[in-house]
Amino acid sequence: MRLKLVSLLIILSGLSACSTTEKPTKNSDNFSNSANALKNQATSAESIYLLAQNRQGADKIQLLYSARDAAITEQNWSLLEQIGSELELTASVDQIQNRLYIAFAQKQQNKNDQALVILQSLDGQLTQPEHFAWHQFLTASIYASQNFPKKAAPYFFRASETATKNNMEIPQLNQSLWDNLKQLSSYALERFNRGTVIQQGWVNLALYQQVYANSGVELDQAINNWRRRYVGHPARSILPKQDEALTELTPINIERLVVMFPQSGPNERLGDALKAGVLAALDKQNINETIFIDENLSTEEIAAQLEQIKPDFVVGPLLKVNIDKLANAKTLIDTPALHLNTFDGDRVSLQHYFFALNPEHEVEQALEHFLAMGYQKPMLLAPNNANGQRLVDYFNLQWQRYSQTKPQIGFYDDKKDMPNTITSLLEVDKSKERIKTVKALFRQEVENETRSRGDIDVIYILGDAIETRLIKPFLDVNVSTFSDRIPLYASSKSHSKQIDRTDKGDLDGLYFTELPWMINSQIKQQDLREQYNSLWSDQADISQRLFAMAYDAVSVLHDIRQLSVMPSSQFSGLSGKLSVNSSGHIERTLDWAQYSNRRIKPVQLKTQRPVPLFMQTASEIQTIN
C-alpha cells in the first residue's frame, strides 16, 4: 500500500499547475520574489501555509500552491483539504483542479461520501483530458476501496481509455484496474465485454485468466493470441515481459494486400490520385499481390470479396462514411487495416490504424512551437466557415491545456471583411479614432501615425493560399512601426505550388508548415518527383498531397506495428515524419519553410512537447506567467 501511495503522490504533486492566477504585474513579481525567499526559510507545509496567511493576492496564492505541494509530499491530508477549501474562495483559481485536490484529500482520510459528492458535482465540466482521467480514476478508486468492483469498473475503463488516447501516465491505474477486474465473476465480466476495444481487451484478458487458470499451456496460448489481437493495449504492462517485445515488434508479413479507394462516383478523381501513389510505392515493396476494390460497393459485396481474397492487410477506405459502414458491420475486425481518414467512433480492433492529412496536426505543431518560443498572446485569423471554426476550436482547446492566457480570434466572412477584422483585432481602428479626435481639437493638420496593440506576439493564419495572399499585406500595413515585427505563421493551406509559379509576392517572411513532397529542396526522392512531374505536370495541389499520403500508406506498413508500440519512433515519408499514437492514429510532423526574397527556403524552428498545466509545478507556473 505504501508503494502504491508514493507512486500516486509523484504525479499528484504536479497538479498545482491547474491553478490559474492572474498574470502578475511588475510589482507583484517583486512581491513574489519576497514571498519565495520566505517560503525557502519554511520547513514544513504547515509553516508555508502560515506564511500565506500574512500575504495577499497572487503572492498568497503562490504560497498556498507551495504549501499544497508540501502537504502532498508529507501526506498531510487534513492540511491539503484545508488549503483546497481556502483556495476555493479565490476566483482566479482553477476550481475544477482544486476540487479534485479536495476530493483526493478526503479520499485519503476515508471521507468517501464527501469525496464522491465533490466528484459528482464536476460531471459535465471536465473539458481537459487530464482532469477527466483523474476524476474517473479517483471515483473508481473510491468504489473499489468500498468493495464495489462492479461500480468501479466503468470508471476504471474510462480512465484507461482517456489516458491511452492522450498518452498520459497515471501511476497504479493499470494495476488498480486489473486488481478490480479480478474481483468480478466470469458472468459479470461477460456483461462488460462490449464497448471500446480498450475495455474489451481488459475484459478478455481477465476472462482468459479465469477460464484457463488451471491450464498453463492453454493460458499461455490464449495470452499470446490476446497479444496479437490487442497490440499496444495498456494491459500489456501487467503481463509477463519475456515474450512481449518479440510478439509486438515482429513486422507484419504481407503477401496479399487489398486497397480500397473510391473508383466511382464524385470522389473518383481522389481515388485516382491515391492509386497512383500506391502503385509508385509498390515498386519498392515485397508484396506479391495487390487487389483494388471500389469502397463504394455495399458492405455485403466488400465482405464477400474479402472472404474470397483473404488479405493479410487492407489499406482504405478513404471516405469517413465508408469507414463507419465497415466498422459498424465489423467487416474488418479480424484483418489488419490502415484507414485513410480519421475515425471518431470506438476503435473495433487494435490492428486498425488511421492515416489522414489532418490539419489538426499542423495546428498542434504550430502551437508547440509558439509555446517553445515563449509566445503568450497569439492571434488567429480564420475563415468564418465550418473548417475555420473547427481548427480555431481545436487550437483553443489545446492551448488551454498548456497556457493560462487566451488567444485573440478573428473570423472573416470574405475578402471585403478582412481589413475590418484585422484593424479591429489589432485595435488600429481605436488609434485612428484618437488621431481624428486630436485633429478636431487643433483644427489643423497634425503629424500622426497609427499604432497597433502591443501585446500580440505571434499571428497564425488558417486561410487558404488566396486568402493568405490578401491577409499578409493588410497585416504588414497595420502593424505599428513602433512595435517589434510580429512573426507570421500559416498552415500548408497557405501554400500552393500552382499559384507559386506566378505569385510569391507579398509573402516575404511568412513561415508555414508543409509536406516534404511539396517543397522542392526537401524531397529526398528527386527521381520520383521528376517522374511525377513528367506524368502529371498540372495536377492540383490536393492530388499531389494525396499521392504522397498513399505512397506513405503502403511504405509504412512494414513498420506500423513497431511504431504503434514505440511512440517515440518515426517513419520519414513524403507526407512528413510519421508516428503512431496510442489510439492508432498516424500523427505527422511536417517541415517548416519560409518565404524569403520570392523563394521558399526550409527552416529549422524550435519545438518541444509542452508540459500540460495539470502536470506543471507551482514554480513552473510562475515562470510561464
Side-chain angles (χ1 to χ4, degrees), residues 410-585:
F411 290 108
Y412 51 85
D413 293 314
D414 50 40
K415 64 180 182 181
K416 294 180 180 179
D417 188 40
M418 288 177 187
N420 294 332
T421 300
I422 292 170
T423 55
S424 176
L425 276 176
L426 293 174
E427 298 183 358
V428 174
D429 51 348
K430 295 181 180 179
S431 177
K432 289 180 178 179
E433 283 298 319
R434 290 193 294 270
I435 292 171
K436 185 178 178 181
T437 301
V438 171
K439 284 184 176 180
L441 288 173
F442 286 95
R443 297 186 179 182
Q444 64 183 29
E445 191 62 31
V446 177
E447 186 176 343
N448 65 84
E449 184 169 343
T450 57
R451 294 175 182 260
S452 59
R453 60 189 298 177
D455 59 334
I456 298 295
D457 49 16
V458 63
I459 297 175
Y460 190 34
I461 303 170
L462 290 166
D464 62 25
I466 294 174
E467 292 165 349
T468 302
R469 281 159 176 74
L470 295 172
I471 291 172
K472 174 68 163 54
F474 283 132
L475 291 171
D476 290 340
V477 169
N478 284 287
V479 173
S480 171
T481 56
F482 296 100
S483 304
D484 294 333
R485 185 184 179 103
I486 302 177
L488 302 180
Y489 295 82
S491 70
S492 61
K493 288 180 63 178
S494 70
H495 175 235
S496 167
K497 290 181 74 70
Q498 293 176 311
I499 295 177
D500 272 359
R501 292 175 184 173
T502 56
D503 182 14
K504 291 190 182 73
D506 297 325
L507 294 176
D508 196 64
L510 179 73
Y511 296 98
F512 64 98
T513 44
E514 184 57 287
L515 282 66
W517 179 246
M518 303 294 285
I519 305 174
N520 292 337
S521 59
Q522 295 298 92
I523 299 171
K524 296 180 180 178
Q525 301 188 49
Q526 286 293 340
D527 55 338
L528 180 63
R529 182 80 238 192
E530 291 171 6
Q531 185 179 11
Y532 183 95
N533 291 341
S534 65
L535 293 171
W536 302 291
S537 57
D538 295 321
Q539 282 278 9
D541 294 306
I542 182 60
S543 295
Q544 298 195 49
R545 293 189 169 103
L546 287 174
F547 174 92
M549 182 178 80
Y551 186 96
D552 286 352
V554 173
S555 302
V556 78
L557 293 182
H558 184 268
D559 300 315
I560 199 163
R561 179 180 286 170
Q562 296 93 311
L563 292 171
S564 69
V565 297
M566 300 173 66
S568 60
S569 298
Q570 290 185 322
F571 175 91
S572 293
L574 303 184
S575 59
K577 292 183 176 65
L578 311 181
S579 58
V580 180
N581 67 20
S582 51
S583 62
H585 285 78

Side-chain angles (χ1 to χ4, degrees), residues 121 124 143 164 191 340 356 361 588 617:
S121 74
Y143 284 133
T164 300
R191 299 193 67 179
L340 298 178
H361 296 157
R588 300 176 302 137
T617 64

Side-chain angles (χ1 to χ4, degrees), residues 178-317:
W178 182 241
D179 291 340
N180 189 74
L181 290 181
K182 289 190 291 187
Q183 306 302 314
L184 298 175
S185 67
S186 58
Y187 175 75
L189 287 170
E190 287 287 2
R191 299 193 67 179
F192 282 119
N193 198 8
R194 51 188 168 77
T196 68
V197 69
I198 297 297
Q199 179 170 329
Q200 291 181 49
W202 279 110
V203 171
N204 280 321
L205 186 60
L207 283 168
Y208 291 157
Q209 291 282 356
Q210 286 193 12
V211 172
Y212 302 113
N214 297 319
S215 176
V217 175
E218 289 182 322
L219 179 59
D220 286 344
Q221 184 178 359
I223 289 178
N224 285 333
N225 290 336
W226 182 93
R227 278 179 167 145
R228 279 190 287 271
R229 183 171 183 181
Y230 295 101
V231 173
H233 193 281
R236 70 189 188 278
S237 65
I238 55 94
L239 290 174
K241 301 294 183 183
Q242 59 268 22
D243 297 324
E244 180 183 0
L246 294 175
T247 302
E248 295 192 336
L249 296 179
T250 303
I252 300 174
N253 182 32
I254 303 174
E255 296 286 337
R256 186 172 293 171
L257 176 69
V258 161
V259 181
M260 284 193 279
F261 295 148
Q263 297 179 26
S264 60
N267 295 298
E268 184 177 359
R269 179 176 60 87
L270 303 181
D272 290 340
L274 291 167
K275 188 173 184 178
V278 167
L279 292 173
L282 285 171
D283 286 342
K284 297 187 177 181
Q285 301 301 314
N286 188 23
I287 297 175
N288 291 338
E289 186 178 6
T290 302
I291 301 99
F292 291 87
I293 295 177
D294 187 354
E295 69 175 71
N296 292 320
L297 295 175
S298 69
T299 306
E300 294 75 17
E301 290 173 310
I302 291 174
Q305 291 197 37
L306 292 175
E307 177 62 28
Q308 183 179 2
I309 298 167
K310 291 182 171 49
D312 301 305
F313 211 104
V314 171
V315 171

Side-chain angles (χ1 to χ4, degrees), residues 8-19 68-69 72 97 101 611-618 620-621:
L8 192 60
L9 294 180
I10 291 172
I11 198 160
L12 277 175
S13 63
L15 301 190
S16 57
C18 280
S19 309
R68 187 172 61 185
D69 292 345
I72 292 173
Q97 177 275 336
Y101 265 112
V611 178
L613 285 174
F614 199 71
M615 307 300 295
Q616 296 167 14
T617 64
E620 286 173 321
I621 297 176

